[in-house]
Amino acid sequence: MTAQAEADVEHPVPVSATLDALVVDRREAADGVAHLTLRPADGGQFPAWEAGAHIDLHLPGHTRQYSICSSPANRGSLEIAVLREPGSRGGSAYVHGELTVGTCVVVGGPRNNFSLAPSRKYLFIAGGIGITPMLAMIEAAEEAGKEWRLAYGGRSLATMAFAHELLEAYGPERVLLFPSEESGRLDLEALLGVPRALTLVYACGPQRLLDAIEDYCLGWPAGALHLERFAAAPGAGGSAGPFEVELARTGEVLEVAADRTVLDAVEEAGVRVLSSCRQGVCGTCEIPVLAGEVDHRDAILSAEDKARSATMMVCVSRAAAGCSRLTLDL
């Protein structure tokens, strides 16, 4: 290829690989929780994944992300557990109403924004359906001979998926169950009030629980806490005044209106960007930032990553106050 020809080639962000999968098993893991087993429709294998990974389910009109709750050692199938949400915008309602044994569904990923970092000890904290990514993490920690405990809270034992299986497999010394209607809420003061040496905390669950865990962990060493949230920061993607985005690969400058996102602007300019949730929770649209200050509104990047501002989720994050232009590696 000549230098001129190379310069004329577009540099789109690659489109996510997907495959067709069949629902081969379905059961109720708890009240209101559907536990599905998926296999590639062609009889092959899913791409490799590690504990903490999630997949995209491409459903009619929208895409939703669900944590993989089965072992990464078995790539011939994977499992997800989906809570029926009363206020569902279509994802959980479709899964519960339409995905029966034999149904074909398009799967994207897997991807991992919640990977298990090396440590001597782990404290896993799950609220409700936030137990799903913890299952593979516990398996990985157990196989590696690490010290770990799980604190798992929910409304009642009947609503807490996998609670009985975990208790039977690992015992009450390591699996602490907190069904609030029966024995009270998670005791975060006892779990987190005193920082524990050589321990990483992994937590997933509702926003209020994770906010409280963050507060309790303020005195823990930097990097000890790892969270996976169900939703981005309040107001994510909302109005914050217009600004410009410069596409470094072409030099094109785009205007991002107060009621539009960076992702909207670059897509309207004909630039393909890999995206999925459009809510700042999946990490698909992460783009390197070459210049400018970012108002990070995603639920993925750590506080340290947000301070560095080396990347941003263009579906929700914007230019920070006082920054008129961001330069992105697009």
Side-chain angles (χ1 to χ4, degrees), residues 67-122:
S67 295
I68 303 172
C69 57
S70 54
S71 173
N74 178 16
R75 290 175 53 195
S77 67
L78 57 77
E79 300 170 27
I80 59 173
V82 180
L83 174 67
R84 180 185 285 278
E85 298 275 6
S88 169
R89 293 178 297 165
S92 74
Y94 187 89
V95 170
H96 278 260
E98 304 295 333
L99 294 190
T100 56
V101 174
T103 305
C104 187
V105 64
V106 178
V107 173
R111 289 192 306 278
N112 202 337
N113 304 311
F114 196 44
S115 57
L116 191 64
S119 181
R120 288 179 58 180
K121 302 177 183 180
Y122 297 98

Side-chain angles (χ1 to χ4, degrees), residues 270-295:
V271 178
R272 290 182 295 160
V273 174
L274 182 61
S275 66
S276 181
C277 72
R278 293 178 177 265
Q279 300 175 66
V281 297
C282 75
T284 312
C285 67
E286 185 173 9
I287 298 296
V289 177
L290 304 181
E293 297 297 323
V294 181
D295 174 11

Side-chain angles (χ1 to χ4, degrees), residues 145-194:
K146 305 299 184 179
E147 182 179 329
W148 63 268
R149 284 199 308 162
L150 167 70
Y152 178 14
R155 190 173 72 252
S156 66
L157 280 174
T159 66
M160 295 169 65
F162 310 109
H164 292 295
E165 295 93 326
L166 286 164
L167 193 61
E168 183 176 346
Y170 301 112
E173 296 79 16
R174 290 195 288 176
V175 177
L176 312 177
L177 302 181
F178 296 85
S180 61
E181 292 181 356
E182 300 157 26
S183 58
R185 297 181 181 276
L186 281 161
D187 188 350
L188 296 182
E189 175 63 36
L191 293 167
L192 302 169
V194 177

